[in-house]
Amino acid sequence: MSRSAILSLAFCLMLASVVSAQDWARKMFNVTSHDFGTVARGADAIYEFDLQNIYEEDVHVTAVRSSCGCTTPSIKSKDLKTWEKGAIVCKFNTDSFLGEKSATVTVTIDKPYYAEVQLNVRGHIRGDVVFQPGAVKLGSVDQGEPSSAKVNVAYAGGSNWQILDVRSDNPHLSVEMSEPMRGAGRIAYDLTVKLKDDAPVGYIQDHLTLVTNDGRNPNITLPVEGKVAPAVTVSPAALALGELSQGETVEKKLIVRAKKPFKITSIKCDNKSYQFAQPSDEAKLLHFIPITYTAGGKSGNQMQKIVIETDIAGGASGETIATVNVKDTEVTVNE
């Protein structure tokens, strides 16, 4: 084999090794590209690329960089153990850039092996439309409670510009729009965005689509941010019962809290090995629930969800996960 052929083969093997090295890291990301669409100047355009360590070894994200100043990346969690989740947060700098912009964000990982993963973001930043504030900020609201926030949409351009519709894929959001205010070459709308009281617990990272009569760029994205906090909390959230032999009994206590007085309407548990004291009929901010568990049935590690329902907001509930290790019954053989 000639020297050039040997070098060519070595290069191909090295290239294949590099590609393979990138593949293991890329598999931790479900999504590697995001289009912000058309956004207004000053909009809070932020996207999180979720990643999860799907390997046995610890993963360390050491650095992140962007090919364009239009995007500022950051690392949400640098160290990830097995199955732990993190994110690469990309902020589209709509306050200092205009027009079509795109960036390649390079994520550098140095443990357990060195690898680089490239993420791509793009979008169109309009200079003639401004949001104040830059997103619908609903804040933190308790489950079952409604919330609302206002955003002013200002347009500087033609006098015939209109918002025709405001759309959302989130059924828990509704929007009220004021009549346009026109004057001095400026058009403005006030949007009132309401979060319905049936919104589920969790973070809200969504957007509204403003449909306009602009034939070139009819749709504008308005970010929506917020958090629905549980109306009811159960402590501990993970109830450890320890290691028990068959027939052995252990007693524990759950604490159920809320911000306003409530009654416990039911306790749901599919395992009859768990017995619960009758809840108080009195509406209180704090309830104590004694639990008695008697080991039985299958041996080994077991998990059981316990759901506590209340009369708050038509049935808001809290839950805990009970874990126990049931040992096999030892059999003594007489000789």
Side-chain angles (χ1 to χ4, degrees):
M1 183 179 293
S2 67
R3 178 180 177 80
S4 60
I6 293 174
L7 290 175
S8 177
L9 177 60
F11 176 78
C12 290
L13 291 174
M14 180 183 68
L15 182 62
S17 176
V18 171
V19 171
S20 176
Q22 309 309 308
D23 283 346
W24 76 265
R26 191 177 295 110
K27 288 179 180 178
M28 293 191 296
F29 291 85
N30 290 327
V31 176
T32 56
S33 64
H34 178 71
D35 188 348
F36 285 105
T38 299
V39 295
R41 187 177 66 191
D44 292 345
I46 299 173
Y47 185 78
E48 295 189 3
F49 289 95
D50 295 328
L51 72 153
Q52 183 176 30
N53 180 7
I54 58 176
Y55 304 103
E56 293 184 0
E57 300 88 349
D58 292 351
V59 168
H60 181 253
V61 182
T62 184
V64 63
R65 65 182 186 274
S66 174
S67 64
C68 174
C70 63
T71 302
T72 301
S74 60
I75 305 168
K76 198 168 185 178
S77 180
K78 290 189 173 183
D79 296 290
L80 300 174
K81 296 187 178 296
T82 303
W83 301 120
E84 284 187 342
K85 295 181 179 180
I88 304 301
V89 182
C90 292
K91 182 181 185 299
F92 212 35
N93 295 321
T94 61
D95 54 348
S96 52
F97 288 82
L98 295 174
E100 291 285 344
K101 295 296 176 182
S102 63
T104 298
V105 175
T106 301
V107 183
T108 304
I109 299 170
D110 62 354
K111 291 180 181 180
Y113 311 103
Y114 183 87
E116 290 187 347
V117 178
Q118 292 187 331
L119 310 174
N120 299 289
V121 297
R122 66 181 302 273
H124 177 78
I125 305 168
R126 293 186 60 157
D128 55 352
V129 179
V130 178
F131 294 151
Q132 183 60 42
V136 178
K137 299 180 183 293
L138 295 167
S140 180
V141 58
D142 288 338
Q143 181 187 16
E145 298 292 334
S147 178
S148 65
K150 290 185 177 182
V151 172
N152 178 265
V153 182
Y155 172 80
S159 60
N160 294 324
W161 188 81
Q162 290 180 300
I163 298 177
L164 303 176
D165 193 11
V166 181
R167 299 172 182 172
S168 173
D169 291 331
N170 189 331
H172 306 292
L173 296 175
S174 64
V175 183
E176 294 178 358
M177 182 170 62
S178 70
E179 292 294 323
M181 296 171 284
R182 302 177 186 271
R186 184 174 180 268
I187 301 171
Y189 290 84
D190 285 326
L191 301 182
T192 301
V193 182
K194 296 183 178 181
L195 178 68
K196 299 177 182 179
D197 58 11
D198 60 350
V201 170
Y203 285 94
I204 301 170
Q205 292 181 324
D206 216 315
H207 69 273
L208 301 174
T209 300
L210 277 57
V211 182
T212 74
N213 63 346
D214 186 338
R216 295 173 301 171
N217 290 297
N219 298 331
I220 307 172
T221 300
L222 173 58
V224 181
E225 305 169 357
K227 177 186 177 182
V228 179
V232 179
T233 59
V234 179
S235 300
L239 180 65
L241 300 177
E243 188 176 68
L244 303 175
S245 299
Q246 294 282 351
E248 193 174 355
T249 296
V250 64
E251 294 182 354
K252 295 286 184 178
K253 186 178 294 183
L254 293 178
I255 303 173
V256 188
R257 295 183 175 90
K259 291 184 178 179
K260 59 183 181 181
F262 68 98
K263 296 180 181 180
I264 294 176
T265 57
S266 69
I267 301 173
K268 294 186 175 181
C269 178
D270 295 333
N271 191 332
K272 293 183 178 180
S273 296
Y274 292 84
Q275 298 295 319
F276 305 92
Q278 183 67 29
S280 170
D281 290 333
E282 182 184 354
K284 299 186 293 185
L285 293 172
L286 189 69
H287 289 260
F288 294 93
I289 302 179
I291 297 177
T292 302
Y293 172 78
T294 303
K298 295 181 179 179
S299 59
N301 293 316
Q302 299 177 23
M303 298 178 63
Q304 177 63 48
K305 181 166 72 173
I306 301 169
V307 179
I308 299 173
E309 296 183 334
T310 73
D311 62 352
I312 297 177
S317 63
E319 64 180 48
T320 185
I321 301 295
T323 58
V324 63
N325 181 18
V326 179
K327 297 185 293 183
D328 284 323
T329 302
E330 295 183 3
V331 178
T332 301
V333 179
N334 296 322
E335 296 183 355

